[in-house]
Amino acid sequence: MCVFAAIIFLFLGSVKGFSTKSEACTYNKGSLCKPALANAAFSTIAFLLGALTSVLSGFLGMKIATYANARTTLEARKGVGKAFVTAFRSGAVMGFLLAANGLLVLYISILLFKLYYGDDWEGLYESITGYGLGGSSMALFGRVGGGIYTKAADVGADLVGKVELNIPEDDPRNPAVIADNVGDNVGDIAGMGSDLFGSYAESSCAALFVASISSFGISHDYTAMSFPLIISSVGIVVCLITTLFATDLFKIKDVSEIEPSLKRQLVVSTILMTVGIAMVSFFALPSEFTIFNFGTEKVVKNWHLFFCVAIGLWAGLVIGYTTEYYTSNAYSPVQDVADSCRTGAATNVIFGLALGYKSVIIPIFSIAVAIFVSFSLAAMYGIAVAALGMLSTIATGLAIDAYGPISDNAGGIAEMAGMSHKIRERTDALDAAGNTTAAIGKGFAIGSAALVSLALFGAFVSRAGINTVDVLTPKVFIGLIVGAMLPYWFSAMTMKSVGSAALKMVEEVRRQFKTIPGLMEGRAKPDYANCVKISTDASLREMIPPGALVMLTPLITGTLFGVETLAGVLAGSLVSGVQVAISASNTGGAWDNAKKYIEAGVSEHAKSLGPKGSDPHKAAVIGDTIGDPLKDTSGPSLNILIKLMAVESLVFAPFFAAHGGLLFKYL
């Protein structure tokens, strides 16, 4: 953080040679704006605030989750309904904390920055974009580091425990079991939390920046200017009401009601939010205004913005439900994958990959429709508020997402504490629903990342003073093709990291089973700490190269090749990153639930595939193990790659526009 903050200050300060004189505004012609040095200082402060908020959110989320998982196990003794309420409420605490923290810190920083900037709104909101950059850069480390940590442990524990020694999952004899349970919190709670916080901060920043150079900002209409913040605050109120539906209005009595209840959350929050957006659009916005659109002004009515936000919101719901269809074992896609395990692991892998590629189709069409409608109605501002619409129900989204790892850990605690078989069945039922909702959460994160990064891309192009990005110029095209390659490079790094860390873990677990006498019989305790150390060391060491790739690409491209090539790189990485991310997440989720489908043995079909330990089950475990790094490391980290490069380019845009493109200047 400190190093990068220094880079931001030096790069942005050098735009006008560190002068402290006021200068003419870029957009609001004829008036004076604050000096570039002030912009550099305040962007740096905003960056640090965003990073700290992101870290704090992850930290608090993990604190809550670790308190909640043992309580969920204890509540499971009284029945599945009680355990569900405990796990869900703990997830909700995390969701509201994050949504409220993000909004509060952003609002306070705007108020404080205003004391200095006064009437210079253009400079104020440009420096606020640092907040989004801070949020996302921490999310990158949470997601990549957390993903490597959790999956090294998970893969190691599964391969030796389940496949080689036939001991159940979360068995206390397995040395990697503690690292595996800790990892769920690191990757799925801290990582997911800071990831969605990053999206949220960036879409707010993109919307505020575009608004500040439109009629809202130039005529100093503070209420209309705060439209993105008002949407988010209405979202918090809506999610509070929605949460009551799961915990108080409809009590859960049976296992079969868990998943419908969680899905009902999404629908209820979306419907209520649509009403909320309608009210905000009519009260907060003037009936007609103009939006900056690449050098021209576009006239927009207030009901246009209502449609922009609403279409983002509903596109999120479509993506969530599609993800659920492809990853839940209640539907045919996952059942087909489970069925293919009869002929071994190879067919399972083939079917799983095909499912992942196919699951990209509907989400991409819904993102495309959202982009077309919102851009036609309100240019780049429309896309920014559509992204905010998708994220407006973030508190509910995070609640059903954090619920997954909490109930997963509750199951682990039940197994390790040697509680009765009945309790483990209840926690497994909670966990199976949690797996699907976690996949829905990842779908949301990827969909919103696509919209957010497009909005940031638009803001970057406006700020860098490019009017059109022409694909036919070689400068842009080379950027495009290199940008499309980046997600693959990034995935290669993260997958390899998980693989090599898992290798160490497998060797360590085998060593303990061989050398500790009486471990298999349960007379001796394994050395858990050693496995935790392997995971921790691997994640801290291995997250540096992927992180450097993402952070340095925009800086190097912008400085050496200039803004046009950088625009190409951003477009390329956005277009290919979304596809890779969705297919990776869904493939992994489907393999995991195919394994759970065989283990649960609820239907006749599942029973025919065998009890735990049968050949089809072993094939399913192999598929699940391959899917682990896909669904928890590579897939979810890619959406940060897309957003982070775009927001970083936006923050450094003044520098690139002034001094970028060194190679082309001298060639």
Side-chain angles (χ1 to χ4, degrees):
M1 267 166 64
C2 298
V3 172
F4 205 68
I7 294 178
I8 295 178
F9 183 72
L10 293 173
F11 271 60
L12 290 180
S14 68
V15 172
K16 291 279 191 292
F18 296 100
S19 81
T20 47
K21 290 197 260 313
S22 293
E23 56 211 46
C25 296
T26 323
Y27 303 98
N28 191 359
K29 302 283 183 273
S31 47
L32 280 180
C33 283
K34 297 288 187 229
L37 192 65
N39 206 351
F42 280 102
S43 292
T44 311
I45 296 169
F47 167 77
L48 291 171
L49 280 173
L52 287 171
T53 313
S54 186
V55 171
L56 184 72
S57 311
F59 174 75
L60 290 173
M62 278 178 67
K63 263 260 182 280
I64 294 156
T66 43
Y67 281 128
N69 49 27
R71 294 180 186 187
T72 306
T73 316
L74 289 175
E75 288 294 305
R77 294 184 302 186
K78 301 176 194 164
V80 79
K82 287 261 203 275
F84 170 78
V85 169
T86 308
F88 182 77
R89 280 192 178 144
S90 328
V93 173
M94 151 111 191
F96 287 112
L97 251 178
L98 210 129
N101 259 345
L103 187 61
L104 185 69
V105 177
L106 183 58
Y107 180 65
I108 292 174
S109 8
I110 291 176
L111 290 185
L112 292 178
F113 284 18
K114 227 189 186 125
L115 298 177
Y116 170 78
Y117 276 104
D119 283 345
D120 172 16
W121 285 24
E122 191 183 298
L124 164 66
Y125 289 105
E126 189 179 304
S127 58
I128 283 286
T129 52
Y131 182 72
L133 177 61
S136 246
S137 52
M138 287 304 107
L140 175 76
F141 295 116
R143 260 296 194 208
V144 177
I148 294 169
Y149 186 109
T150 167
K151 288 307 127 184
D154 196 356
V155 172
D158 280 0
L159 281 180
V160 182
K162 284 192 201 165
V163 179
E164 292 176 10
L165 299 171
N166 258 346
I167 56 177
E169 189 163 4
D170 295 324
D171 190 298
R173 291 172 293 179
N174 192 335
V177 69
I178 299 284
D180 182 9
N181 278 326
V182 173
D184 288 336
N185 293 314
V186 184
D188 285 350
I189 294 210
M192 182 73 182
S194 49
D195 179 4
L196 280 176
F197 166 75
S199 283
Y200 169 78
E202 284 158 344
S203 53
S204 306
C205 293
L208 289 168
F209 175 73
V210 178
S212 72
I213 56 179
S214 305
S215 64
F216 298 159
I218 291 167
S219 62
H220 288 0
D221 180 348
Y222 187 62
T223 314
M225 191 65 221
S226 309
F227 180 65
L229 302 178
I230 301 172
I231 293 177
S232 308
S233 39
V234 170
I236 295 178
V237 177
V238 163
C239 291
L240 267 175
I241 300 167
T242 313
T243 311
L244 297 176
F245 276 83
T247 53
D248 298 288
L249 297 179
F250 298 101
K251 291 269 190 282
I252 285 191
K253 295 177 189 65
D254 188 35
V255 173
S256 58
E257 296 170 16
I258 300 172
E259 214 164 296
S261 173
L262 289 169
K263 279 155 45 188
R264 195 182 310 128
Q265 288 283 298
L266 285 176
V267 181
V268 171
S269 64
T270 305
I271 293 169
L272 291 176
M273 192 63 209
T274 311
V275 179
I277 296 166
M279 283 154 56
V280 172
S281 304
F282 292 108
F283 291 124
L285 296 170
S287 58
E288 192 174 284
F289 43 89
T290 63
I291 294 285
F292 182 85
N293 179 22
F294 302 127
T296 57
E297 295 286 329
K298 183 180 173 76
V299 177
V300 180
K301 306 252 196 307
N302 57 5
W303 57 269
H304 287 173
L305 281 191
F306 162 70
F307 278 111
C308 292
V309 185
I311 195 146
L313 181 65
W314 285 91
L317 189 70
V318 171
I319 293 174
Y321 267 79
T322 313
T323 312
E324 198 250 346
Y325 172 72
Y326 279 106
T327 57
S328 163
N329 51 27
Y331 305 105
S332 60
V334 173
Q335 290 173 6
D336 290 346
V337 173
D339 190 58
S340 70
C341 291
R342 282 182 313 187
T343 49
T347 39
N348 179 24
V349 170
I350 294 168
F351 269 72
L353 286 172
L355 176 144
Y357 296 146
K358 195 175 163 195
S359 70
V360 174
I361 302 168
I362 299 173
I364 291 295
F365 274 119
S366 53
I367 291 174
V369 169
I371 288 171
F372 183 77
V373 172
S374 49
F375 191 86
S376 317
L377 290 175
M380 271 303 163
Y381 189 65
I383 291 177
V385 291
L388 264 178
M390 198 180 276
L391 290 164
S392 58
T393 52
I394 181 174
T396 296
L398 265 173
I400 63 174
D401 195 79
Y403 155 87
I406 290 173
S407 40
D408 187 356
N409 270 355
I413 291 173
E415 181 76 47
M416 287 186 273
M419 293 170 97
S420 72
H421 183 62
K422 213 154 67 198
I423 293 179
R424 180 73 217 216
E425 268 177 10
R426 285 172 186 161
T427 54
D428 274 353
L430 291 174
D431 184 24
N435 245 0
T436 305
T437 56
I440 294 178
K442 287 180 188 120
F444 259 93
I446 295 165
S448 64
L451 289 176
V452 169
S453 85
L454 187 62
L456 290 165
F457 177 65
F460 160 71
V461 170
S462 311
R463 182 62 192 87
I466 316 171
N467 282 341
T468 51
V469 179
D470 182 4
V471 185
L472 291 175
T473 51
K475 274 188 199 177
V476 176
F477 193 80
I478 57 168
L480 204 59
I481 200 158
V482 170
M485 173 274 300
L486 288 173
Y488 292 93
W489 189 0
F490 183 79
S491 299
M493 285 178 167
T494 48
M495 296 283 286
K496 184 95 190 295
S497 302
V498 172
S500 58
L503 202 71
K504 288 197 187 97
M505 187 69 79
V506 168
E507 283 165 358
E508 171 62 20
V509 175
R510 280 181 186 158
R511 181 193 70 76
Q512 291 199 24
F513 273 114
K514 280 200 186 83
T515 57
I516 299 177
L519 177 57
M520 194 64 194
E521 294 75 40
R523 287 198 310 272
K525 272 196 170 170
D527 178 4
Y528 298 123
N530 228 356
C531 291
V532 173
K533 187 176 180 325
I534 290 178
S535 259
T536 314
D537 291 351
S539 64
L540 291 174
R541 191 179 57 248
E542 302 277 359
M543 71 186 176
I544 298 168
L549 174 72
V550 180
M551 305 289 271
L552 296 177
T553 301
L555 286 178
I556 294 172
T557 312
T559 311
L560 295 181
F561 299 96
V563 279
E564 274 110 343
T565 310
L566 182 52
V569 169
L570 295 180
S573 66
L574 164 63
V575 168
S576 87
V578 175
Q579 334 283 340
V580 181
I582 295 177
S583 66
S585 292
N586 290 351
T587 297
W591 275 328
D592 192 353
N593 274 342
K595 176 202 69 175
K596 287 219 161 63
Y597 174 75
I598 295 175
E599 285 178 352
V602 178
S603 65
E604 284 307 310
H605 175 234
K607 281 191 187 114
S608 72
L609 293 169
K612 288 184 185 181
S614 67
D615 283 344
H617 177 246
K618 280 189 174 165
V621 171
I622 291 172
D624 173 35
T625 314
I626 301 172
D628 271 337
L630 284 172
K631 79 172 194 303
D632 288 320
T633 314
S634 298
S637 314
L638 277 175
N639 53 41
I640 301 181
L641 167 118
I642 312 169
K643 295 179 310 199
L644 188 57
M645 284 181 23
V647 72
E648 195 182 318
S649 307
L650 172 61
V651 171
F652 286 107
F655 174 80
F656 296 149
H659 305 301
L662 296 179
L663 279 185
F664 293 135
K665 277 181 188 162
Y666 302 119
L667 284 175

